[in-house]
Amino acid sequence: VFVYMRELSGLTPKQLSEMLNISISKLAWDRMQNAGIPFVKLKEGHRGSVRYPMTKVNEYLNKNMKAVA
């Protein structure tokens, strides 16, 4: 049930930063530049909660993965 709820609500910036080992500020910078992983804002305005839907995270990672030799 928890995984299902996470899928519906999405990952927080903190959760995503830990998952991908990148900083929260990098995620914020990407959002300001309209780049990076697609996100949703749950409330309008400056203080809205940001979430990253897992389906969009997976799509982005699959599209942008680079092979490491």
Side-chain angles (χ1 to χ4, degrees), residues 15-22 27 37 57 60-61:
Q15 291 169 325
L16 185 61
S17 72
E18 291 170 355
M19 184 176 117
L20 300 180
N21 196 30
I22 57 175
L27 293 172
I37 300 172
V57 171
Y60 179 86
L61 294 176

Side-chain angles (χ1 to χ4, degrees), residues 4-58:
Y4 180 70
M5 290 305 295
R6 180 180 285 177
E7 175 60 32
L8 291 177
S9 61
L11 298 172
T12 65
K14 183 179 189 310
Q15 291 169 325
L16 185 61
S17 72
E18 291 170 355
M19 184 176 117
L20 300 180
N21 196 30
I22 57 175
S23 69
I24 294 172
S25 59
K26 167 66 172 138
L27 293 172
W29 176 256
D30 285 349
R31 289 193 308 271
M32 288 187 292
Q33 300 298 314
N34 289 319
I37 300 172
F39 67 95
V40 293
K41 206 165 199 185
L42 300 179
K43 180 180 164 188
E44 292 295 321
H46 178 69
R47 295 297 226 176
S49 296
V50 171
R51 295 291 183 271
Y52 294 90
M54 277 305 296
T55 53
K56 297 297 183 185
V57 171
N58 289 331

